[in-house]
Amino acid sequence: MEQPNFALALPVYEEILRKLATVGSFGRMRQILDRMKSSKIEITEGPFLIFIESYGKFELYDEAIGVLDMMENEFGVKPGRSEERRVGKECRSRW
């Protein structure tokens, strides 16, 4: 039964992203992120950190680095030190 005025909150979306991340469902993760944006959910660094960690886990280092651009250019979230450090940590084994 649908409830009027019900909207998912950021923590729920983040949990969905984590579940999808465990199986490497990156396309679906991106769809969720786009849905958050279209639903006017205030997006913070959290969802992007989930992407970075997941890409690192699957050794998709270029994609992990690309998250920083996606954050700022597509979602207006300026990457901070924590995101930059996380990318470095996840990609360290590459170099």
Side-chain angles (χ1 to χ4, degrees):
M1 176 179 199
E2 283 193 40
Q3 297 180 5
N5 302 321
F6 176 78
L8 296 177
L10 181 62
V12 175
Y13 278 111
E14 288 178 336
E15 187 59 29
I16 293 168
L17 288 172
R18 282 187 198 91
K19 298 291 185 191
L20 292 169
T22 61
V23 295
S25 186
F26 300 112
R28 188 72 178 118
M29 288 173 68
R30 179 56 196 250
Q31 289 175 345
I32 296 296
L33 195 60
D34 290 336
R35 180 176 176 163
M36 291 169 65
K37 183 178 180 181
S38 67
S39 297
K40 308 276 193 254
I41 300 293
E42 184 178 343
I43 302 174
T44 62
E45 299 87 1
F48 299 105
L49 290 174
I50 295 167
F51 271 85
I52 292 166
E53 291 170 357
S54 302
Y55 283 137
K57 175 183 169 189
F58 285 91
E59 299 181 1
L60 299 170
Y61 306 114
D62 290 335
E63 288 84 348
I65 293 167
V67 171
L68 298 176
D69 287 330
M70 177 178 61
M71 283 177 71
E72 190 164 9
N73 298 330
E74 297 180 40
F75 292 87
V77 178
K78 184 147 179 73
R81 288 257 188 234
S82 63
E83 291 80 25
E84 292 169 356
R85 281 193 298 266
R86 183 70 57 138
V87 168
K89 177 183 173 193
E90 296 299 331
C91 299
R92 188 171 299 141
S93 64
R94 178 178 186 190
W95 294 286

